[in-house]
């Protein structure tokens, strides 16, 4: 009996030694849980680099914070980044690679509308969730969840403000010829009759145009009461300068792609004085809110602090929000699912309720857009900064 006990003790010691050696060799417990794999496709280089870089920084900061607190259901989150170089063909290649080779549970991306649209059919075919970082206008898709409000919806909010707040009935529509500008323009065109207003002229331009004087000359001749402009910051700054050259004083209501640090630098004082009213988000002036304001205290300050600690940056970039909200929404879905199973995550996302920078999200089986764009508010430029608009 004593000999048998001695053998059992020695066996236990050997097994313990083996486990200890495995721990030392692998650097982790034998039964360590596999990480939760999330794929992220961004336009870090190319024309969308101004989007992809801050998006990557915000996503990384959020996930590192979650992992420091223990991850999700005892597992760490592992991010797999791919740079599509602002090319939709690369977006599609990256999506296939992440889904099939890395076995990610979901995809975030891409930064540009064209990239998102290239990823979409792949996620539908492979039955993997796509959380879109760009404002894509699509019918309801089973595996696709949108985050930024669609340009079609935001344009309608801009139109309502133009008519009801500014009192304009004769409106000029000026927009870029890319997908972004076309979707926004369609939102105005389809709903202007409902507001008892009319379009006196519609003009478009190429995003890379360096002068819009031909279009603006026609707009000026049409004598509109307001101009609705759907464009990004760089072409909008060109329009601001051209309006000044032509002596145009017509109010301009600008879209959500305009209020960036670039527009402040490029347009400068030309867009000040309240004539330019641009739809943006509260984070544009959150640093000037009272310290105990819930938006600043619970949302803006924690994200800004995380960015500063991780990257040493002290200036807020509005596109941090485009990385922050999508990854938070994906994490909320994982929490509800309690697993990274692809189908379970898809079902869970339809139950997500999340209040972020880009809106108050309430997804459902019939609504994968989640928000109507109520977070966008009119802002003006004063003393080189964005401020809330007041009539």
């Amino acid at each position: 009996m004593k000999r048998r006990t001695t053998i059992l003790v020695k066996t236990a010691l050997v097994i313990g030694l083996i486990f200890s050696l495995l721990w030392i060799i692998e650097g982790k417990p034998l039964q360590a849980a596999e990480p939760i794999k999330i794929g992220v496709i961004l336009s870090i280089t190319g024309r969308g680099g101004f989007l992809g870089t801050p998006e990557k920084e915000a996503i990384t900061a959020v996930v590192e914070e979650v992992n420091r607190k223990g991850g999700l259901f005892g597992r760490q989150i592992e991010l797999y980044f791919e740079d599509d170089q602002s090319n939709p063909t690369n977006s599609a290649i990256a999506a296939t690679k992440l889904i099939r080779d890395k076995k990610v549970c979901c995809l975030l991306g891409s930064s540009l509308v064209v990239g998102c649209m290239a990823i979409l059919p792949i996620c539908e075919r492979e039955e993997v969730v796509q959380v879109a970082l760009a404002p894509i206008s699509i019918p309801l898709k089973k595996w696709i969840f949108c985050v930024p409000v669609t340009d079609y919806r935001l344009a309608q909010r801009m139109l309502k403000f133009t008519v009801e707040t500014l009192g304009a009935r004769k409106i000029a529509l000026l927009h870029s010829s890319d997908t972004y500008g076309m979707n926004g323009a369609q939102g105005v065109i389809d709903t202007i009759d409902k507001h008892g207003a009319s379009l006196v002229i519609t003009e478009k331009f190429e995003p890379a145009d360096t002068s819009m004087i031909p279009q603006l000359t026609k707009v000026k001749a049409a004598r509109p009461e307001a101009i609705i402009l759907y464009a990004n910051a760089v072409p909008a700054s060109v329009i601001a300068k051209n309006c000044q050259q032509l002596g145009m004083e017509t109010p301009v209501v600008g879209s959500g792609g305009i209020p960036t640090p670039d527009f402040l630098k490029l347009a400068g004082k030309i867009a000040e004085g309240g004539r330019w009213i641009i739809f943006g988000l509260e984070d544009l002036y959150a640093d000037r809110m009272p310290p105990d304001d819930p938006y600043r205290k619970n949302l803006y300050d924690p994200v800004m602090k995380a960015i500063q600690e991780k990257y040493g940056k002290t200036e807020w970039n509005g596109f941090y929000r485009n990385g922050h909200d999508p990854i938070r929404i994906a994490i909320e879905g994982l929490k509800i699912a309690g697993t990274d199973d692809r189908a379970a995550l898809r079902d869970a996302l339809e139950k997500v309720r999340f209040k972020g920078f880009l809106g108050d999200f309430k997804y459902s089986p019939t609504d994968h857009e989640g928000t109507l764009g109520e977070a966008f508010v009119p802002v003006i430029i004063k003393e080189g900064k964005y401020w809330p608009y007041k009539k």
Side-chain angles (χ1 to χ4, degrees):
M1 183 68 178
K2 183 177 180 181
R3 183 171 179 274
R4 184 180 178 185
T5 302
T6 302
I7 293 172
L8 289 173
V9 171
K10 288 181 178 179
T11 302
L13 288 171
V14 170
I15 293 172
L17 179 61
I18 291 170
F19 271 86
S20 297
L21 288 171
L22 285 172
W23 178 291
I24 293 169
I25 292 169
E26 297 293 330
K28 60 183 180 181
L30 187 65
Q31 300 298 323
E34 286 295 315
I36 298 167
K37 299 178 181 180
I38 296 178
V40 187
I41 302 171
L42 301 173
S43 302
I44 298 171
T45 57
R47 70 183 181 91
F50 72 101
L51 296 165
T53 299
E55 288 169 346
K56 181 179 181 180
E57 290 172 351
I59 291 169
T60 302
V62 168
V63 168
E64 287 191 0
E65 178 189 357
V66 172
N67 284 340
R68 280 195 301 270
K69 295 179 179 178
L72 297 177
F73 27 91
R75 298 167 63 187
Q76 296 282 284
I77 298 174
E78 189 169 345
L79 296 172
Y80 291 88
F81 286 104
E82 290 286 335
D83 176 15
D84 64 14
Q85 301 175 321
S86 305
N87 184 323
T89 300
N90 294 341
S91 307
I93 293 171
T96 302
K97 172 184 174 182
L98 291 170
I99 291 170
R100 295 184 177 177
D101 297 347
K102 299 301 183 182
K103 310 296 183 185
V104 298
C105 67
C106 68
L107 279 179
L108 273 62
S110 178
S111 304
L112 297 171
V113 170
V114 289
C116 283
M117 295 304 291
I119 295 168
L120 187 155
I122 298 170
C123 286
E124 283 288 298
R125 183 183 67 241
E126 300 288 334
E127 298 187 339
V128 176
V129 163
Q130 176 191 4
V131 181
L133 272 65
I136 55 176
S137 299
I138 57 170
L140 179 70
K141 299 288 184 181
K142 182 175 181 180
W143 294 89
I144 315 304
F145 292 80
C146 304
V147 180
V149 63
T150 64
D151 299 303
Y152 188 85
R153 284 188 175 184
L154 179 57
Q156 293 174 36
R157 287 183 58 80
M158 293 166 56
L159 175 61
K160 182 179 180 181
F161 169 83
T162 304
V163 175
E164 296 183 4
T165 303
L166 299 185
R169 294 290 186 276
K170 298 178 180 179
I171 298 169
L173 175 60
L174 187 60
H175 65 93
S176 56
S177 60
D178 55 9
T179 304
Y180 172 72
M182 296 297 289
N183 286 340
Q186 200 63 49
V188 174
I189 293 167
D190 288 351
T191 55
I192 194 162
D193 290 343
K194 298 177 183 178
H195 293 280
S198 62
L199 289 175
V200 295
I201 188 171
T202 299
E203 288 289 325
K204 64 181 178 179
F205 53 86
E206 297 298 321
D209 284 352
T210 56
S211 174
M212 283 71 158
I213 284 181
Q215 294 95 326
L216 288 170
T217 300
K218 296 177 185 177
V219 169
K220 184 178 181 180
R223 301 174 66 85
E225 295 171 339
I227 299 170
I228 291 181
L229 172 62
Y230 226 93
N232 282 315
V234 174
S237 67
V238 173
I239 290 169
K241 294 173 183 176
N242 291 163
C243 282
Q244 183 186 51
Q245 291 170 337
L246 294 172
M248 295 178 65
E249 297 183 356
T250 311
V252 177
V253 179
S255 59
I258 297 174
T260 64
D262 285 341
F263 185 72
L264 290 177
K265 295 173 184 176
L266 294 170
K269 292 187 176 297
I270 296 173
E272 293 195 12
R275 188 172 57 81
W276 277 69
I277 305 167
I278 309 166
F279 270 67
L281 295 157
E282 290 181 289
D283 64 323
L284 292 168
Y285 50 85
D287 61 337
R288 281 161 273 142
M289 291 178 175
D292 60 348
D293 182 274
Y295 181 92
R296 178 175 180 177
K297 181 179 179 181
N298 301 324
L299 191 59
Y300 176 86
D301 280 350
V303 175
M304 188 68 251
K305 180 181 178 182
I307 293 292
Q308 185 173 359
E309 290 178 351
K310 174 69 177 175
Y311 299 101
K313 296 185 177 181
T314 57
E315 183 179 352
W316 176 260
N317 186 312
F319 293 110
Y320 289 144
R321 65 174 94 96
N322 287 47
H324 173 274
D325 283 10
I327 188 62
R328 284 290 184 193
I329 287 168
I331 289 170
E332 288 301 309
L334 286 164
K335 287 179 181 177
I336 293 170
T339 174
D340 59 350
D341 175 79
R342 291 171 174 176
L345 175 57
R346 193 218 74 87
D347 293 345
L349 281 168
E350 292 184 338
K351 302 172 184 175
V352 165
R353 301 291 181 268
F354 172 76
K355 190 173 183 64
F357 290 105
L358 294 164
D360 190 358
F361 293 89
K362 298 177 182 177
Y363 294 103
S364 74
T366 57
D367 184 1
H368 284 193
E369 291 187 25
T371 179
L372 296 173
E374 69 286 342
F376 280 85
V377 295
V379 301
I380 60 169
I381 300 171
K382 183 174 63 175
E383 299 174 350
K385 295 181 179 181
Y386 294 109
W387 295 86
Y389 166 84
K390 293 181 181 179
K391 188 174 180 181

